[in-house]
Amino acid sequence: QVVESCVAAAGYSVGEFAALVFAGALGFAEALYAVKVRAEAMQKASEAVPSGMLSVIGRREANYKFACLEARKHCESLGIENPVCQISNYLFPDSRVIAGHLQALEFLQENARKYYFTRTKMLPVSGAFHTRLMEPAVEPLAEVLKSIEIQKPLVCVYSNVDGKKYMHSKHIQKLLVKQVVSPVLWEQTMHSVYERKQGAEFPYTYEVGPGKQLGAILKKCNLKAWKQYNHVDALEDEEAAET
């Protein structure tokens, strides 16, 4: 019944492929193959440069862009050419993920107080995803997506790249490639998905998959929408079926 009445779907980073499969835009097997190529290409790009991702909670006065600029200048002083340090994920108000060269992220951790960061935590990932350090992964993914049949989604799917609905198959092909080197605008996507007239009811929201992180983010972005939130652990059903 939920699937029948679904009005919109969105997926975080690689989860966008799952959202597009759910919406009928991509076949499951083809999407899985595209994800495999994407993952291997991104891993290869990660190995080329010591880089990473830093989760940051900031106070209201935190200026992330200025902090990133100073971190890049610090890298330049160390002799790093064209250093990368930028916001790679917009999570919820006052929370960002910053990605780039490791030296830049270490600089931000050491100077957290100066930039009004209340908490910084390195993420357990191998590279600076959603930055231009992932450019070597663009071509392999673009090639795969050219060879896959992409349909217009049966329900609205929102893109990480601009927080707006995908319009047609070529649009999907273009933005899935761009997503690899662009910030994930998740906070902006949440505003787009739940934008409605004053007094209008919010839809039920289901987070499908492991963990409830997207629910926690929704609570910070839109408390009223979160009140209709449910989590569906995809693995629980399988385990129940096996026992």
Side-chain angles (χ1 to χ4, degrees):
Q1 198 180 350
V2 167
V3 173
E4 293 292 311
S5 58
C6 182
V7 291
Y12 185 93
S13 189
V14 72
E16 200 161 290
F17 285 84
L20 288 162
V21 169
F22 169 77
L26 294 173
F28 177 68
E30 289 88 348
L32 212 53
Y33 178 61
V35 165
K36 178 179 183 285
V37 170
R38 178 185 182 273
E40 287 169 354
M42 287 169 81
Q43 181 58 35
K44 201 172 172 187
S46 300
E47 287 162 7
V49 177
S51 58
M53 302 179 85
L54 183 72
S55 175
V56 176
I57 306 273
R59 298 215 321 248
R60 282 279 156 85
E61 54 269 56
N63 186 333
Y64 301 94
K65 285 185 178 167
F66 176 65
C68 289
L69 175 69
E70 294 220 316
R72 288 196 299 272
K73 283 181 178 169
H74 168 72
C75 285
E76 282 169 358
S77 75
L78 299 174
I80 296 169
E81 284 182 29
N82 287 331
V84 171
C85 182
Q86 65 175 82
I87 297 171
S88 61
N89 306 69
Y90 291 80
L91 301 179
F92 53 85
D94 309 323
S95 178
R96 307 277 182 269
V97 176
I98 294 173
H101 282 82
L102 274 184
Q103 295 90 334
L105 304 182
E106 285 160 2
F107 173 84
L108 290 178
Q109 280 191 296
E110 285 161 18
N111 295 278
R113 190 173 285 180
K114 177 185 173 183
Y115 302 116
Y116 301 103
F117 296 165
T118 51
R119 205 188 84 200
T120 61
K121 184 185 172 198
M122 287 297 290
L123 297 179
V125 295
S126 57
F129 305 142
H130 303 291
T131 72
R132 63 177 170 82
L133 288 176
M134 289 295 115
E135 271 171 8
V138 164
E139 198 52 44
L141 180 59
E143 285 304 309
V144 171
L145 290 173
K146 274 181 203 161
S147 69
I148 290 174
E149 195 180 343
I150 302 175
Q151 310 281 350
K152 191 178 177 198
L154 299 172
V155 298
C156 295
V157 180
Y158 288 78
S159 165
N160 287 182
V161 172
D162 57 11
K164 294 174 184 169
K165 296 172 192 172
Y166 280 117
M167 303 312 288
H168 48 76
S169 57
K170 278 271 180 275
H171 194 211
I172 293 170
Q173 186 183 326
K174 183 181 164 189
L175 290 191
L176 278 180
V177 173
K178 199 175 176 187
Q179 190 230 54
V180 174
V181 290
S182 303
V184 173
L185 304 187
W186 193 254
E187 184 186 339
Q188 295 86 331
T189 301
M190 292 298 91
H191 292 318
S192 297
V193 171
Y194 297 105
E195 190 179 10
R196 56 217 341 99
K197 289 190 178 79
Q198 192 78 32
E201 281 198 19
F202 284 95
Y204 286 100
T205 298
Y206 295 88
E207 178 177 0
V208 184
K212 300 178 184 178
Q213 291 92 330
L214 298 181
I217 292 172
L218 177 59
K219 189 177 183 181
K220 296 270 188 9
C221 287
N222 190 324
L223 187 59
K224 284 183 179 172
W226 175 79
K227 286 178 179 169
Q228 306 275 49
Y229 162 88
N230 293 281
H231 174 246
V232 181
D233 190 329
L235 297 175
E236 268 177 16
D237 294 347
E238 285 180 22
E239 283 165 11
E242 283 169 14
T243 53

